[in-house]
Amino acid sequence: MTMTEQGTEAGADEKLCVSCGTNEVSTEPERAETARERVNRRWNELLQETRVAQTGVQILFGFLLSVAFTPMFHDLGTFERAVYVTTVVLGAAATASLIAPVSIHRFLSGQRMKDEVVEAAGRLMICGMVLLALTIGCTLLLILYVVVPGPLAVVLVGSVMLWFCLCWYVLPLRLRRRATRRPQCRHGMKRSDASA
C-alpha cells in the first residue's frame, strides 16, 4: 500500500502519500481490495440491486397483465389500448433485462468469467431500469388518462417522469462526474474528498 498514516504532526485523519509526499484528508480508512474481492463485492451489490428492481417490475407486470381481463378494459379507446400494449411490452422487456443476470450467472457459473458476468449484468440492470421507468410512465399515462382525460394527464406524467429522470439518472451521473474530477496525486490515486 502506498499510503501511510502520518504521525503526530498531521493528526489521525490525514495521510501522507509515500509515492508523491502529498497530504490527503480521509473521513474513513481506505482498504486495499484485490481484483477478486472487488469483482465479488460488485457482484453481491448487483444482486442486492437486482432483488429490489425485480420485485417492483414483477408486481407491476402482474398488475398490467390482469388489466386486460377486467370488464372496463373493453371500454377503452384506441389510444388507451395502444398505451396499454406499449406498457405491457415495455414491462416484459424490463422483466427480461432485470432477470437476465440470473440466467447469465447460471449459464456461466464455474467458467471463471465473473468479470464479464458482472459487466454484462450491470449493463442489463441499467437497461432494465430505463425500461422500468418507461413502463411506470406508460402505466401512469394509462391510469391518469382514464381518470383525468386530456392534457392534465400528460402534464402529470411528464412531471413524474422528470422526477424519475432526476432521481435515477441525473443525480447518479452528477455524483459520478464529481468523483472523476477529484484531484489525483502523481501516482494516480484519487485524493479523498472530505466533503463527500
Side-chain angles (χ1 to χ4, degrees), residues 130 132-138 140 155-167 169:
V130 170
L132 178 57
L134 292 172
T135 304
I136 292 169
C138 287
L140 280 173
V155 169
L156 291 172
V157 171
S159 300
V160 171
M161 293 311 297
L162 179 62
W163 181 247
F164 266 85
C165 188
L166 289 171
C167 292
Y169 307 107

Side-chain angles (χ1 to χ4, degrees), residues 171-190:
L171 178 62
L173 290 173
R174 184 171 180 257
L175 292 172
R176 182 184 223 173
R177 191 174 332 125
R178 184 171 152 193
T180 59
R181 286 190 307 215
R182 288 184 188 152
Q184 293 184 353
C185 60
R186 271 188 270 143
H187 65 279
M189 292 188 68
K190 297 271 185 198

Side-chain angles (χ1 to χ4, degrees), residues 90-184:
L90 287 170
T95 302
S97 292
L98 294 172
I99 295 177
V102 176
S103 177
I104 291 171
H105 181 263
R106 185 54 22 228
F107 275 99
L108 299 178
S109 181
Q111 300 297 314
R112 299 186 184 275
M113 296 179 66
K114 193 171 258 185
D115 281 330
E116 292 86 351
V117 169
V118 168
E119 187 68 30
R123 290 180 184 197
L124 283 165
M125 278 291 296
I126 291 171
C127 179
M129 295 303 290
V130 170
L131 291 168
L132 178 57
L134 292 172
T135 304
I136 292 169
C138 287
T139 303
L140 280 173
L141 181 60
L142 181 64
I143 292 169
L144 292 177
Y145 196 80
V146 170
V147 175
V148 284
L152 180 59
V154 175
V155 169
L156 291 172
V157 171
S159 300
V160 171
M161 293 311 297
L162 179 62
W163 181 247
F164 266 85
C165 188
L166 289 171
C167 292
W168 285 14
Y169 307 107
V170 173
L171 178 62
L173 290 173
R174 184 171 180 257
L175 292 172
R176 182 184 223 173
R177 191 174 332 125
R178 184 171 152 193
T180 59
R181 286 190 307 215
R182 288 184 188 152
Q184 293 184 353

Side-chain angles (χ1 to χ4, degrees), residues 66-80:
S66 68
V67 168
F69 301 102
T70 62
M72 191 177 164
F73 183 78
H74 301 291
D75 298 334
L76 294 180
T78 306
F79 175 76
E80 292 93 346

Side-chain angles (χ1 to χ4, degrees), residues 2-3 15-25 30 180-192:
T2 61
M3 307 294 287
K15 292 183 178 182
L16 177 66
C17 178
V18 176
S19 298
C20 65
T22 58
N23 285 337
E24 297 186 2
V25 179
E30 293 187 27
T180 59
R181 286 190 307 215
R182 288 184 188 152
Q184 293 184 353
C185 60
R186 271 188 270 143
H187 65 279
M189 292 188 68
K190 297 271 185 198
R191 291 188 186 173
S192 298

